[in-house]
Amino acid sequence: MKLLSNLSPDSRALPRPADARRHEIGLAAWDEALAAAPDQAAAARARDWSATPVGGRLLAAIFGNSPFLSGVAVAEWNFLTQLVEHGADPLFGRILDTTLAYNHGENRAELMQRLRIAKRRTALLAAVAELAGAWPLERQMAALSGFAEAALGAALRDLFREAGGSGAMALADPDDPERDCGFFVLAMGKLGAGELNYSSDIDLVLLFDAARAPLRDRDGAQTFFTRLARELVRIVDERTGDGYVFRTDLRLRPDPRSTPLAMSVAAALAYYESVGQNWERAAMIKARPIAGDIPAGERFLTELQPFVWRKSLDFHALADIHSIKRQIDAHRGAGRIAIEGHDIKLGRGGIREVEFFAQTQQLIWGGRIRELRRRETVPALAALADTNRIDRATAERLTADYRFLRRVEHRLQMVDDAQTHRLPADRDGIRHLALFLGYDDSETFVGELRETLVSVERHYADLFEEAPTLAGPGGNLVFTGADDDPETLATLGRLGFADPPRVAATVRDWHHGRMRATRSERAREILTELVPELLRIFGATAAPDAALARFERFLSHLPAGVQLFSLFKQNPGLLTLVADIMAEAPRLADDLAGRPALLDAVLTTEFSAPLPDRGGLAADLAAMLAGARDFEATLDLLRRWSNERRFQVGVQLLRRDLDGERTGAVLADIAETVLAALVPAVADDFARQHGRIAGGGFAVIAMGRLGSREMSLSSDLDLILVYDVTGAADQSDGARPLAPSTYYGRLGQRVISAITVPTAEGRLYEVDMRLRPSGESGPIATTIETFAHYQREEAWTWEHMALTRARPVAGDERLFAPVRAVIAAALSRPRDRRRLVADVADMRRRVAGQHPRPTPWDLRNRRGGLVDIEFLVQYLILRGAPQIAPRGIAAAIDALGEAGALPPRAAQEVGAAVRLLRHVQALLSLMFEVAPEPKELTGLHGATLARCAGAVDFAQLEAEISGACARGRDWYDRLVARPARRTQARAALATAPATGEAPR
């Protein structure tokens, strides 16, 4: 029994069984397998050694601790017997020979079965050799890594032989199909270092050189090698009835979410040279070609050396390397590490901290000190000590800590062949693990483990101790590599994010340089420093996940990122503002994403100041337009100015610097200022072709919310266009003369186009012309006489209601007085009050029919909302208060109260209601595209709305809205709906047949 020859019956090398019942079941299965063996001579040998005290201890260590090893030992009893008899090294040599052998006529399924049986035996051998003390940790890791290389090589050679047989490849040597094939497998991580753990997956990068690959169709190299890569992974990764060979991970290749499984060497080099990150440099320290065209792999790594091993490092590159460590929350040994459930790979004081300790020093010094370019962790620590980069005691202690943690890791994984690094979550599980590791009691094991974790954590925290941490509040924020760091996900959850894996993937994407903003190395370095604070700020918003998604869209539109990221880093207040916009004001977020230059306006000193009056706005716009080169430039500048000013209003509304009523007036001032500048510019441009009409004039009448100065950020412009010709000219005086009606009709079209056409700066406004005389069937522009005649003879009551908001705002000011006179005459005409109230109520019913079931947060259309109040005000103006038009609804209510047209109580209640509704509606327009359903305002959105509206909480705001609408509806019913019903009843009674019956 060569394997057990060095053990005595009381040897501490073999652990005791942690589960006696499991031990008994395993022995029973062992006896049944031997009894049923076809080769009873071999079974007898198995009984002989298993009946010895040392052999019994070995089986007890297997059956009493590991369900996985128990199953393999019973299935492979004969192999286990040979292992005990001949020792680990000879048998492992046989496994490698079997794995590497080429069997003529073997099909793919048979190959996969052969590899899986070999893996099963390797797993049993590696475990038993380590349990018996025959193999040290390094030998065990090297054997596991060696088998992985052999298995991948066998699978790859089979694929190349198949390709050669089909004619897809012209193999240089069919007996050695890997030679000069142009395709190679880079082992990364622990496989690259020859340090595979017991139940490890394997990290691979698959690359090809299309120019060297002996393909029949070189143009199809990408497709061919991607297909080959997929089949290679399937051969080793697919779980069959015989198990699997290795779980395979290809996510360490460049930008794995957007690149094929196999990449060309040229594409990989271009990636690393342009957007390669420091964590990828650290990963490449362990890279090693293990299958395929090995010389091609070595050439690739040689070409990559300037990327991995920099001769010199500037301050920013050093800071970025430091960040690999600083993203981990290093507590410097402060606080007690909980053992139960601790992750010994990724947790505090874990294996990764030892590896990062070595790799960060290698990255800094390896460009100048070649002796540091070691793939393996322990030799790297020794080399750092040999070159005086770290002291000898630190290297020796970290080496001991590393070996201890790797041994614990292997025993954890031997239990169920699971890729786990987390300690049991209960004391009983810890006791089982301690026994499996050979401890007599769990307390001794826990004490040694805690001492090890604290030691690693202390040494790790001492790295770059003068640099501020990049960890988040109370946890890691690590976004290197391809896997999610569990502690990082927990930190993101504590920060407030609902979907931490998605957030982690988003941040990793930023570092891959897919966006122009993160394409430069300097931008990514600053972003690394910025991310913890950025995530903290976004996590504190009302909707962290949605806000971060909008922020990513914003970043995707930036031409570069260095300036902005630097600005955010120096000015966290600006980042807080942007986060609030992204979380609470989707409309502003969309504006910012579409036009990132809007952020420039935020940096000006006047951005937070109250907007100037019309005169100040006009002067500001005129100064901007003074630099316009031509008409197209004028249109762009008008849009830029308008967008910046409206964005400013939106931000001030969000910050509660403006209320809804003031917001509407300021937005109207902006629109009027734009129109006042745009109409003459369009007229001048139009005149270059068609000249001008002597004695002619053109004016724009504002209707709707622009007319009443109650605009919102989403408002379009309701316009009517009029003209007048006082002279005798029958056509314009340009090179292409036009008759007046045609001239002003086309000029009107040009004005509308100039407002609505999108340019590089977007569009100004949407325009609605349906309120013009005769509506959509009428001409674009009408004479003042036609406008007056229509209002006098043809307009319906609802059109006069709309006219209560009308006022001239742009164009030839000589026409303003005649326009105002036409409007005043139309509003002042005598009316039958009964017919008027009936018409208003009928129109309200028609509008309500278009919105039969408005959401409670549709503050315009819900019962008692803004439409009810607007109709009430317009009715009172037409009934006898024309002098009050045009005014905003709140101002009109005050004036109606002062004039006695509205009862004082009504003026007070309806005025307060409309101001509240207008303010909340303005806030809702920042947060939602359309009126939200109640469920959309549960939780953070409702709390945000309440806060911005100045309410104590959402419940109070909801109650205030309901009360306001109830009062609005009550006064509308009293003054409009009920009188209208009485009028209708009288009319029905007057027209009823003389039958003596009351009308129904």
Side-chain angles (χ1 to χ4, degrees), residues 532-800:
E533 180 68 2
L534 184 150
L535 292 174
R536 183 192 67 78
I537 289 172
F538 273 78
T541 63
D545 296 81
L548 194 68
R550 295 189 188 104
F551 182 71
E552 182 177 31
R553 181 169 174 259
F554 164 69
L555 291 184
S556 71
H557 287 80
L558 291 175
V562 171
Q563 183 177 2
L564 180 67
F565 296 155
S566 300
L567 197 62
F568 282 154
K569 188 178 175 183
Q570 297 164 7
N571 188 355
L574 178 62
L575 184 57
T576 300
L577 170 62
V578 171
D580 287 341
I581 289 172
M582 299 299 166
E584 300 174 1
R587 183 178 300 279
L588 298 181
D590 288 344
D591 290 343
L592 198 55
R595 289 178 291 278
L598 286 173
L599 208 55
D600 294 340
V602 179
L603 304 177
T604 61
T605 55
E606 62 269 16
F607 185 80
S608 299
L611 271 75
D613 57 17
R614 275 291 312 282
L617 290 173
D620 183 57
L621 177 57
M624 177 175 279
L625 293 178
R629 300 181 308 275
D630 50 31
F631 179 64
E632 285 70 24
T634 297
L635 295 184
D636 278 338
L637 290 172
L638 284 168
R639 282 156 173 73
R640 186 181 307 166
W641 182 87
S642 174
N643 290 332
E644 288 178 0
R645 285 301 192 179
R646 283 188 286 176
F647 183 74
Q648 180 183 5
V649 171
V651 171
Q652 292 192 6
L653 176 63
L654 183 67
R655 286 180 158 181
R656 296 174 62 183
D657 295 332
L658 284 175
D659 60 21
E661 185 175 8
R662 176 64 183 148
T663 296
V666 172
L667 289 171
D669 284 344
I670 293 170
E672 286 183 56
T673 303
V674 168
L675 288 174
L678 179 140
V679 172
V682 174
D684 291 344
D685 185 67
F686 187 72
R688 277 194 280 274
Q689 285 184 314
H690 303 290
R692 302 184 187 276
I693 294 181
F698 176 86
V700 178
I701 303 173
M703 308 290 287
R705 294 190 181 189
L706 173 58
S708 60
R709 294 169 53 77
E710 297 172 310
M711 293 185 70
S712 71
L713 289 168
S714 59
S715 290
D716 56 13
L717 302 183
D718 292 291
L719 304 177
I720 294 176
L721 307 180
V722 296
Y723 67 93
D724 188 35
V725 180
T726 57
D730 58 359
Q731 63 179 17
S732 60
D733 57 10
R736 299 171 60 186
L738 298 172
S741 61
T742 304
Y743 182 94
Y744 288 111
R746 292 188 184 178
L747 176 59
Q749 286 282 14
R750 290 283 187 92
V751 168
I752 296 168
S753 294
I755 298 171
T756 60
V757 67
T759 73
E761 297 289 337
R763 68 176 76 241
L764 278 172
Y765 299 92
E766 297 290 347
V767 172
D768 191 337
M769 298 287 294
R770 289 175 296 175
L771 292 178
R772 69 185 186 270
S774 301
E776 293 181 348
S777 62
I780 291 295
T782 58
T783 65
I784 290 180
E785 290 79 6
T786 301
F787 177 61
H789 178 270
Y790 181 86
Q791 298 298 337
R792 186 173 59 250
E793 305 293 339
E794 301 178 41
W796 294 54
T797 299
W798 69 265
E799 291 178 287
H800 284 170

Side-chain angles (χ1 to χ4, degrees), residues 295-308:
E298 296 290 0
R299 285 193 296 272
F300 172 79
L301 291 181
T302 299
E303 287 192 66
L304 204 61
Q305 282 201 1
F307 165 71
V308 180

Side-chain angles (χ1 to χ4, degrees), residues 217-290:
D217 177 16
R218 290 186 183 276
D219 292 337
Q222 182 65 72
T223 301
F224 174 83
F225 284 118
T226 299
R227 189 182 302 117
L228 182 141
R230 188 174 294 111
E231 184 64 9
L232 175 65
V233 169
R234 188 186 74 83
I235 290 173
V236 298
D237 197 295
E238 185 176 275
R239 192 176 289 273
T240 71
D242 297 300
Y244 68 101
V245 187
F246 284 100
R247 292 175 294 268
T248 306
D249 193 336
L250 303 182
R251 291 176 297 165
L252 286 183
R253 70 185 186 276
D255 199 1
R257 292 180 64 185
S258 62
T259 54
L261 298 182
M263 288 184 67
S264 72
V265 167
L269 289 172
Y271 169 86
Y272 289 121
E273 290 168 1
S274 60
V275 295
Q277 301 162 60
N278 274 316
W279 73 263
E280 290 174 303
R281 293 177 58 211
M284 276 294 167
I285 290 174
K286 296 181 181 293
R288 179 168 60 97
I290 59 169

Side-chain angles (χ1 to χ4, degrees), residues 21-35 59 63 74:
R21 175 62 178 158
R22 188 181 291 163
H23 179 201
E24 292 174 6
I25 293 172
L27 285 177
W30 174 263
D31 290 337
E32 289 178 11
L34 296 183
L59 291 182
F63 295 144
V74 170

Side-chain angles (χ1 to χ4, degrees), residues 326-330 469-477 532:
R326 291 162 55 211
Q327 294 173 68
I328 297 178
D329 190 15
T469 180
L470 288 184
N476 297 350
L477 283 175

Side-chain angles (χ1 to χ4, degrees), residues 144-157:
L144 292 167
S145 303
F147 172 73
E149 292 178 42
L152 285 164
L156 194 57
R157 286 191 292 278

